[in-house]
Amino acid sequence: GENVEQHPSTLSVQEGDSAVIKCTYSDSASNYFPWYKQELGKGPQLIIDIRSNVGEKKDQRIAVTLNKTAKHFSLHITETQPEDSAVYFCAARLGGTSYGKLTFGQGTILTVHP
Amino acid sequence: GAVVSQHPSWVICKSGTSVKIECRSLDFQATTMFWYRQFPKQSLMLMATSNEGSKATYEQGVEKDKFLINHASLTLSTLTVTSAHPEDSSFYICSARGDITHYEQYFGPGTRLTVT
């Protein structure tokens, strides 16, 4: 089955710096890659996603890049703010169909220091 | 984005009793709903997938007789934890994907279950 590896497990940055979280996946047929932000005691919130026919997508301070050849995708957060502190999960859609289940990475605890 | 709600947000029950958790898609029709379990500081573990009007598909190792899932309508799915034990204490999160959100999958706020 699909396997998603996420690094780093923890990331600490100063406010205003950039943060990058990387994920690799094993199933080359995967075609959808979302990123979720989870605050303590809450459910995950979809913050950005990318499909396999696109190499990069940006939404204000957040961007995601996808390298299908290398089977890895990354989340980039610029001008980080303390409210960006949370756990971030990457995921990949298994099997290359729009109805497959998501496989999640292990999560990254991001801490932004004021 | 689409909104998914869960009720209750937290529940405490005694060992041996059953508890039901509701998941609703508020502004879209959820053709597929997912139930996850999350332990502290861990990732999301998929328990089962349900399509409206069909029986749920459970992941390996998840007891279908213990975790009853019903997806009777396009906006409501329920998870019933039967004969709960302390080891069932966890954070349960539902997620939904619908007729509009073919790719996107949205999560509810989660339910904290504590079994005493």
Side-chain angles (χ1 to χ4, degrees), chain A residues 38-44, chain B residues 6 9 36-40 44 47 88-93 108-113:
Chain A
Q38 186 177 28
E39 297 177 336
L40 192 62
K42 298 183 179 180
Chain B
Q6 264 183 260
S9 56
Y36 292 82
R37 184 173 180 177
Q38 187 177 37
F39 292 104
L44 299 132
M47 300 174 66
D88 298 325
S89 298
S90 191
F91 193 51
Y92 293 88
I93 317 172
T111 297
R112 173 72 58 191
L113 170 64

Side-chain angles (χ1 to χ4, degrees), chain B residues 19-96:
Chain B
V19 61
K20 180 184 287 187
I21 302 170
E22 290 187 351
C23 176
R24 294 181 184 272
S25 56
L26 299 185
D27 53 2
F28 68 102
Q29 293 187 319
T31 51
T32 307
M33 282 188 168
F34 307 85
W35 286 94
Y36 292 82
R37 184 173 180 177
Q38 187 177 37
F39 292 104
K41 298 185 178 181
Q42 292 192 21
S43 189
L44 299 132
M45 183 187 79
L46 179 65
M47 300 174 66
T49 301
S50 72
N51 293 298
E52 185 265 339
S54 302
K55 287 185 178 180
T57 301
Y58 290 81
E59 294 298 302
Q60 191 173 7
V62 178
E63 299 176 60
K64 60 179 66 178
D65 294 331
K66 180 168 188 60
F67 298 101
L68 302 179
I69 292 171
N70 184 284
H71 190 172
S73 78
L74 285 172
T75 59
L76 173 64
S77 177
T78 60
L79 167 67
T80 301
V81 183
T82 63
S83 187
H85 291 285
E87 55 265 31
D88 298 325
S89 298
S90 191
F91 193 51
Y92 293 88
I93 317 172
C94 73
S95 182

Side-chain angles (χ1 to χ4, degrees), chain A residues 28-98:
Chain A
S28 58
S30 293
N31 70 345
Y32 176 63
F33 308 91
W35 284 89
Y36 290 89
K37 174 184 180 182
Q38 186 177 28
E39 297 177 336
L40 192 62
K42 298 183 179 180
Q45 175 192 2
L46 179 65
I47 57 172
I48 197 167
D49 57 8
I50 193 167
R51 302 182 191 182
S52 57
N53 59 347
V54 176
E56 183 174 358
K57 184 177 179 181
K58 189 174 181 180
D59 182 5
Q60 299 183 340
R61 297 186 297 109
I62 295 173
V64 57
T65 58
L66 171 65
N67 183 325
K68 288 192 296 181
T69 302
K71 289 190 287 186
H72 69 70
F73 56 111
S74 300
L75 176 70
H76 305 254
I77 306 174
T78 59
E79 301 173 32
T80 54
Q81 301 167 2
E83 48 267 38
D84 294 330
S85 297
V87 181
Y88 291 81
F89 291 99
C90 65
R93 175 92 73 205
L94 180 68
T97 70
S98 62

Side-chain angles (χ1 to χ4, degrees), chain A residues 96-113:
Chain A
T97 70
S98 62
Y99 297 95
K101 60 184 179 182
L102 291 174
T103 299
F104 285 86
Q106 297 86 346
T108 296
I109 302 172
L110 173 64
T111 304
V112 181
H113 299 280

